[in-house]
Amino acid sequence: MFSSKSSAEDPSPPPLSPPEFTVDGGTAVVRGHWNLRGLIAAPPDLRERLRSAAGRPDLAWDLREVSLLDSAGAFVLWQSWGERLPERVLLRREQQSAFRRWQAGGIPSVRDGRRPPVPMRRRIVAAIAGLGDHLLAVLALLGQLLLDLAHLARHPAAIPWREISATIHETGGRALGITALVGFLIGVVVSYLSSLQLKTFGAQVYIVNILGLSIIRELGPLLAAILVAGRSGSSMTARIGVMRVTQELDALAAMGISQSLRLILPKVVALVVALPLLVVWTDVVALAGGAVSAHLELEIGYHQFFQKLPAAVPVANFAIGLGKAAVFGLFVALIACHYGLRIEPNTESLGNETTNSVVVSITLVILIDAVFAILFRGVGIR
């Protein structure tokens, strides 16, 4: 048979004795439970009586009959005594530590939660300093990649082919659907809006020039890069951040495995290879959408559209688009890895840095596109 638990194994809490004190001659005897639980059941006039008794300088205080005393009960007595110990007070040794805390520090003052406004000059200096830190970190990451490439050129057997191919499939192959959908819709929209204006001037045949130049040179690379930055860039940052949270990066460092060679290099190489291929795919689908819209709105045949396209758009524009795509892939991967390595081992930092990675990548893509437009403004334009 099994015996039930004894009362020693499951002790019940002692009966509550509310805090109380009585004045007997020239001595105030304090009794009861002077803890948080006991103070809840204290008489309503307890503090007023304490202050009244504390005003008598000839009165001695005896706390030796107090059953329980914690910092809350000591604080009530401390306040009643005018935030000082009476001249004549009898305490047990274990009770002295409860009052020693208030003797040492007193009552902490409540600080104002409002922060003073930061001067604009200091904000600008801090922003410039933060930008400089990011630039130095990205340059250091790029330099490490160049060293890794030099190492792999001397040791081809160490090239992480499996990681590179898996990343190409993840960033390129699995992005074909979304890039095709967005590219087709953009081609339809640009063709439809352009046809409305070309009808006014009777220049319907120039829809091929407008679509070919805008999509192959600008919209195709830009759309593909923005989609990859939002889809694959955020994924790269989050994966590296999760490895930081789960201490996998520390494990790689402890085993002597290069983080840049196994984590960063495959992602950079994969995006540099995959993004130009995605741009070709996006260009083809966007031009097909534009051809459909031109056929419906301007009654331009599909054969006529694609036959006139090579003559309307020089090959240099296609080369510029592929070059931009490779540069976009390089910097999107670098920014994603940079912010991934900056993630601290907590979930809040993971979300913040992933958001920063996407925003900075898209902004940088647009900035690089503007630089290309300025540098090659006279190339491929008839």
Side-chain angles (χ1 to χ4, degrees):
M1 297 179 64
F2 295 96
S3 61
S4 60
K5 293 183 179 180
S6 63
S7 59
E9 296 176 354
D10 187 18
S12 59
L16 179 63
S17 176
E20 188 55 67
F21 80 98
T22 57
V23 179
D24 185 8
T27 304
V29 181
V30 184
R31 302 182 181 87
H33 291 177
W34 287 77
N35 58 359
L36 193 58
R37 181 167 171 257
L39 290 173
I40 297 175
D45 60 342
L46 177 63
R47 295 197 177 189
E48 295 182 4
R49 291 167 48 209
L50 280 172
R51 294 192 187 97
S52 177
R56 295 175 51 182
D58 59 329
L59 194 63
W61 293 80
D62 188 358
L63 275 66
R64 291 175 296 179
E65 297 186 20
V66 172
S67 303
L68 294 174
L69 178 67
D70 63 2
S71 59
F75 178 69
V76 172
L77 293 171
W78 178 260
Q79 273 194 324
S80 302
W81 291 336
E83 299 182 6
R84 60 180 179 84
L85 286 177
E87 296 180 0
R88 293 187 296 167
V89 59
L90 299 177
L91 299 171
R92 295 199 303 270
R93 180 173 299 178
E94 63 270 16
Q95 294 173 343
Q96 296 176 0
S97 61
F99 291 99
R100 191 176 298 117
R101 172 186 176 184
W102 304 112
Q103 283 181 299
I107 303 174
S109 59
V110 180
R111 295 182 298 177
D112 190 358
R114 295 174 297 179
R115 296 182 179 180
V118 181
M120 183 58 65
R121 180 179 179 182
R122 186 179 301 176
R123 293 184 184 180
I124 296 175
V125 171
I128 295 175
L131 179 61
D133 292 340
H134 285 290
L135 290 177
L136 289 177
V138 172
L139 287 177
L141 194 61
L142 183 59
Q144 182 62 46
L145 288 178
L146 295 177
L147 294 177
D148 291 338
L149 290 175
H151 170 76
L152 294 178
R154 296 192 303 269
H155 306 85
I159 298 177
W161 294 111
R162 181 175 299 178
E163 290 85 349
I164 293 175
S165 62
T167 309
I168 290 177
H169 170 70
E170 178 68 27
T171 59
R174 300 185 64 177
L176 292 176
I178 185 63
T179 52
L181 176 62
V182 175
F184 185 84
L185 294 178
I186 289 296
V188 170
V189 171
V190 173
S191 177
Y192 176 73
L193 295 178
S194 301
S195 63
L196 295 179
Q197 298 298 319
L198 293 176
K199 281 182 180 180
T200 306
F201 302 99
Q204 292 90 333
V205 71
Y206 290 103
I207 188 67
V208 181
N209 302 64
I210 294 176
L211 285 178
L213 189 62
S214 60
I215 290 176
I216 293 176
R217 182 171 178 136
E218 290 295 332
L219 292 180
L222 197 61
L223 285 175
I226 291 176
L227 290 175
V228 168
R231 181 186 177 276
S232 303
S234 60
S235 175
M236 292 178 181
T237 304
R239 287 183 180 182
I240 297 176
V242 170
M243 295 182 70
R244 173 76 70 187
V245 174
T246 57
Q247 298 182 347
E248 294 180 51
L249 295 180
D250 298 333
L252 290 177
M255 291 186 293
I257 300 176
S258 173
Q259 297 178 3
S260 62
L261 189 61
R262 288 296 172 182
L263 295 178
I264 300 174
L265 180 66
K267 293 177 172 55
V268 174
V269 173
L271 268 188
V272 170
V273 173
L275 195 52
L277 300 178
L278 274 179
V279 167
V280 175
W281 168 252
T282 307
D283 289 346
V284 171
V285 177
L287 289 174
V292 171
S293 180
H295 178 70
L296 296 176
E297 289 294 324
L298 303 177
E299 299 181 355
I300 295 179
Y302 299 114
H303 179 73
Q304 179 186 1
F305 184 94
F306 288 105
Q307 187 179 22
K308 183 176 174 56
L309 185 63
V313 183
V315 182
N317 294 283
F318 183 71
I320 291 174
L322 293 183
K324 286 198 293 187
V327 177
F328 290 161
L330 171 65
F331 281 97
V332 167
L334 281 177
I335 294 299
C337 296
H338 164 67
Y339 280 98
L341 295 175
R342 288 175 56 90
I343 292 177
E344 299 176 357
N346 59 75
T347 55
E348 182 179 2
S349 177
L350 177 63
N352 292 337
E353 298 301 336
T354 303
T355 303
N356 293 336
S357 170
V358 175
V359 173
V360 174
S361 296
I362 294 176
T363 305
L364 192 59
V365 163
I366 298 175
L367 181 62
I368 294 174
D369 184 71
V371 172
F372 266 86
I374 295 173
L375 293 179
F376 298 96
R377 63 183 181 274
V379 179
I381 305 295
R382 292 178 178 174

